[in-house]
Amino acid sequence: MIVKSIFWKKSFLVLSFLATVITGQAQSALKIAKLKYGGGGDWYANKTSLPNLIRFGNSELKMNINPVEDVVEVGSPDLFTYPFVHMTGHGNVVFTDAEARNLRNYLLAGGFLHIDDNYGLDPFIRREMKKVFPELSFVELPFDHQIYHLKYDFPNGLPKVHEHDGKQPQGFGLIYQGRLLCFYSYECDLGNGWEDQSVYKDPEELRRKALQMGANLLDYAFTIL
């Protein structure tokens, strides 16, 4: 699976470079996307979160990410053009069988999915990800997992952005043959912390912690997988 992952990423980068040369446009090599899903849940939530995370990664860590986020549907073949896909929402999620197969193939090919519970997503995403990986269950990642210690150090795991039920934030993962291919942030509202400060008026220090954790996720997807 490591060989497959490296091949997928190299192929993606080569194709992106060729597209730049052919079109003659100065564009970033990497693009990331928000996942559009069915079921009625608000997949489109947190409109300023990904643009702000991209801006943070590009300015603080010199990442080369296109400043404009894309939107990709679960069942689309375009899913395979994004090394990092972000999913959020508050409500129901439904994957068709074809969409579940497509998402599974994407993740096994080296893609990375970040699911952020924006409060209310939990029962639905656990049900639907079982369609994607019937043989796997979400496991809580220990605080010494590398995803908490890449560019920025989080010795106590995820930062707590918004309270909701007052529970401790938890980071769960789907691990396939030793590889973390999906990270699920729960009771954290990480994406809310990426939003413009005017949206929730969170303290700047808290927003920065959320963006730093998001940068760790990007770094993991781009360099570790």
Side-chain angles (χ1 to χ4, degrees), residues 123-181:
F124 308 110
I125 198 59
R126 289 182 180 274
R127 179 193 67 202
E128 295 306 295
M129 289 306 291
K130 269 295 183 181
K131 294 180 182 177
V132 182
F133 287 100
E135 72 275 33
L136 301 181
S137 296
F138 281 110
V139 296
E140 186 169 6
L141 300 182
F143 293 161
D144 61 357
H145 191 279
Q146 64 186 138
I147 207 161
Y148 295 125
H149 307 280
L150 289 169
K151 298 298 185 181
Y152 299 99
D153 192 44
F154 288 87
N156 299 312
L158 290 169
K160 180 75 170 177
V161 178
H162 288 164
E163 286 302 320
H164 293 317
D165 293 329
K167 299 177 182 177
Q168 289 297 310
Q170 293 176 281
F172 295 99
L174 289 178
I175 300 174
Y176 183 86
Q177 296 184 354
R179 182 171 71 90
L180 175 66
L181 40 75

Side-chain angles (χ1 to χ4, degrees), residues 3 17 20 33 60 75 77 97 118-119 128 151 159 164-165 178 180-181 197 206 211 220:
V3 173
F17 174 74
T20 302
E60 299 287 327
D97 290 343
N118 208 352
Y119 197 54
E128 295 306 295
K151 298 298 185 181
H164 293 317
D165 293 329
L180 175 66
L181 40 75
Q197 201 277 337
L206 183 58
L211 288 164
Y220 185 89

